[in-house]
Amino acid sequence: MTAQQTPEQFTRARLLIELADEAAAYLKAKDLAREKRHIYRRCRDQYLHRNGINEVKWGDLVDDRAFQMATGKPYREWRKARQQQYNAERRMDRRFRKLIQQGAVQ
């Protein structure tokens, strides 16, 4: 806290910095989720292309053990990244609501 800042201004500035940190974490998680989605889709499309599956219903394909082995890890990583993105978004939202309650944002 500098000599020119009141305690309220310092608190607001600290909350704004925390919000900026959470926003950066959210953007990073969003990029990670996008990357993992592309990896999963690439694995899925490669499997479909290699096996020449055109007439099979999606439900039957998802139940196929070979398909699960080919896309299981990328799908789990994508789901984990989506959950991290959701958690980061919630943290950012909580910081923003805290700022609103403090009166720093109109």
Side-chain angles (χ1 to χ4, degrees), residues 85-101:
Q85 178 185 352
Y86 174 77
N87 291 342
E89 186 176 8
R90 292 289 307 261
R91 284 192 304 271
M92 185 176 63
D93 185 50
R94 282 194 300 268
R95 296 289 188 255
F96 183 71
R97 281 187 272 128
K98 193 173 184 180
L99 273 170
I100 290 173
Q101 289 174 354

Side-chain angles (χ1 to χ4, degrees), residues 20-34:
D21 290 341
E22 293 300 334
Y26 169 72
L27 292 174
K28 184 178 178 182
K30 187 176 178 180
D31 287 341
L32 179 65
R34 183 180 299 123

Side-chain angles (χ1 to χ4, degrees), residues 7-8 13 19 42 73 77-78 80 82 89 103-104:
E8 295 83 23
L19 177 62
R42 187 173 56 237
K73 183 177 179 184
E77 290 175 352
W78 179 33
K80 183 179 177 184
R82 283 184 3 211
E89 186 176 8

